[in-house]
Amino acid sequence: MKVGIREVARAAGVSTATVSRALGRGPVSDALREQVAEAVRATGYRPNLSARRLRSQAAQTIGLIVADIRNPFFTAVSRAVEDAAFASGMRVILCNTDEDPAREAMYLRLMEEERVTGVIFAPTVATTATLGDEPLDYPVVLIDRAGPPGAHDSVILDNPTAGSALVDHLVAGGYRRIGGLFGSTSSTARERRAGYEAAMARHGLTPAVRAVPPNAAAAEAEIARWFAGPARPEALIASNGLILMGAVRAARALGLTIPGDLALAGFDNEPWTDLVEPGLTVIEQPVAEIGTQAMRLLFERIANPDQPIRKVVLSGRMVSRGSTLAR
Amino acid sequence: MKVGIREVARAAGVSTATVSRALGRGPVSDALREQVAEAVRATGYRPNLSARRLRSQAAQTIGLIVADIRNPFFTAVSRAVEDAAFASGMRVILCNTDEDPAREAMYLRLMEEERVTGVIFAPTVATTATLGDEPLDYPVVLIDRAGPPGAHDSVILDNPTAGSALVDHLVAGGYRRIGGLFGSTSSTARERRAGYEAAMARHGLTPAVRAVPPNAAAAEAEIARWFAGPARPEALIASNGLILMGAVRAARALGLTIPGDLALAGFDNEPWTDLVEPGLTVIEQPVAEIGTQAMRLLFERIANPDQPIRKVVLSGRMVSRGSTLAR
DNA sequence: GATTGCACTGAAAACGTTTTCACATCGATT
DNA sequence: AATCGATGTGAAAACGTTTTCAGTGCAATC
């Protein structure tokens, strides 16, 4: 038999309004509050969250839209987001887009139908361009990837600086022909590439970049093609953890020693990067911080919808390991 | 201005009932169906899913409760679950318990309040014991970890066989003093341990097991203690990917060569296990299959609540690599 | 002693849908 | 020609809460 607030009210000898107030925070006398608590216990009542959401017009739900939860970067961020959400009594709906703009659009629409409290979103460049066009009816915080300036709050890494830092590090180690392998779908990759190119120019070196879909297999294949040609780099910078993994695989497959034949540096200080031999030099991203800051921005935006757009830029930390040993 | 089904009905010149039917699958003439579609387009109507859920008593939501999404095993499973869910028009709420029975209980209750369609759950042993006590009002499919027999559908690995297989493999390679490092919170670890012990007995060897919290740091520390003592194993079996990683770190820290000083084998064929030198011998779990099978079981249970309890046991696949090279 | 204000309570409306029920309409069957 | 069943439609009820509105009682104030 189904027990609703009605049955609780009857059991406690009060009105449903009083039950609702006793359960939430409403002005109820201590005596009645205790009666209601007892009635809840006796009846085994569980509030129906759909009904609550409908009436109170507060979904208490946030959407988290990322490329692929299996990317450890997003995994870590999502964990932080979920912790923050549940701590505030909110649910999280997780969506994987596989970097597909059509799926991004679909999920953005779905979030509208869910009447979500807000969305945390890592968009592809394609979607980024159209993001400002028609306003969504929920606040959005962009993570990892920047949107058109001034349209949405965002929390991202200082990508240009990080990209430059890797170049500087490699140059200091005596490397000159430094190639770059960057993801083709995110603004993040573009910014890292810009930092790479700026640093290369500053050092009087000619950049050599290739863009790939951000996954290990694509990166590995691209490097194989690259090394089949004449202009082989002596060092390689990978714009994220998946591409970096592809690079390691490619080096193994080609029989290249690291860093002797090819120095390697990249992004994302994933656990395996110091387990391979030699360890990989990476820019570590403050993954948990990105998630919690995104939630903070979201909550503050909700509390104060008209405040100016904010952009939190976090610094990466370079972790220097054997893969970029000075030659 | 807010647009509900009411406004659409007015725009289309029909009743709200007709709009509802035209949007769902109800008997509506083609002419009106087109009128409604046009009105929806014109008004920019988006259905309110909370209202729909409340009225139709179908949450179209499934809960996924795991220890920690950052464990690559759960990451992969969750991705498969989410793909299957969204393909069926369902939402997924992801919950991390950190192996804490209190949080498990909390989330199980929360799922009740969400009136979820069903739950996919990887419980700790502590919760497993009490799972049958009070019936939940949604169907549950257990993954990775078995519950009390006959209480819930489940999809798990053939853990005893997998555990035995690793022992057999090591014994065939000439190893005798084979230690086992097993997680302390899951029935899975227990089953793998049982397989390990059975195989050891069969080979006339004395087992040496230690239980640890299932994370890399704890495993590493335990191995350090182990090797500080007198009875050092010459091979080690780790009951999951995190513990295996801890084992590798410990070996590195202790300056042990693999497999010379210590052979290593474990579970979960994560990408990094063949990037370390030497590659690690592991039992690969069909992670995506586990997720999709779980969803299938869930859907079939919903369609037919009274069918007998089912248990899908999947086989692991041994991937033999350098870490268990014959001595 | 009447009035004000505060703290609490219940009846009923509201949230935005789907579903039930009743009723037309119409072609096919008796 | 009357009846039936199938099909399409609208009015209104229902889903389970929260919130509004209108009190009620009681202590404090004038």
Side-chain angles (χ1 to χ4, degrees), chain A residues 37-58:
Chain A
E38 176 55 31
V40 165
R41 223 169 296 132
T43 55
Y45 167 73
R46 297 271 176 278
N48 180 319
L49 295 186
S50 288
R52 175 174 294 175
R53 283 199 258 265
L54 171 60
R55 172 61 235 215
S56 66
Q57 302 286 65

Side-chain angles (χ1 to χ4, degrees), chain B residues 15 17-18 21 27-29 32 54-55 57:
Chain B
S15 72
T18 298
R21 283 190 276 249
V28 181
S29 66
L32 282 198
L54 171 59
R55 173 60 233 214
Q57 300 287 66

Side-chain angles (χ1 to χ4, degrees), chain A residues 73 77 119-123 128 131 139-159 187-188 191 289-301 307-315:
Chain A
F73 170 78
V77 170
V119 163
I120 294 179
F121 182 25
T128 289
L131 244 188
V140 173
V141 173
L142 266 24
I143 56 168
D144 183 48
R145 307 162 181 201
H152 297 286
D153 292 319
S154 59
V155 31
I156 60 174
L157 195 75
D158 184 348
N159 289 307
S187 65
T188 296
E191 293 178 7
E289 181 77 2
I290 291 173
T292 51
Q293 288 283 337
M295 284 300 281
R296 187 177 62 79
L297 253 48
L298 196 52
F299 283 140
E300 292 181 7
R301 167 68 51 199
Q307 72 184 355
I309 299 294
R310 295 193 295 178
K311 181 171 181 174
V312 172
V313 179
L314 301 173
S315 293

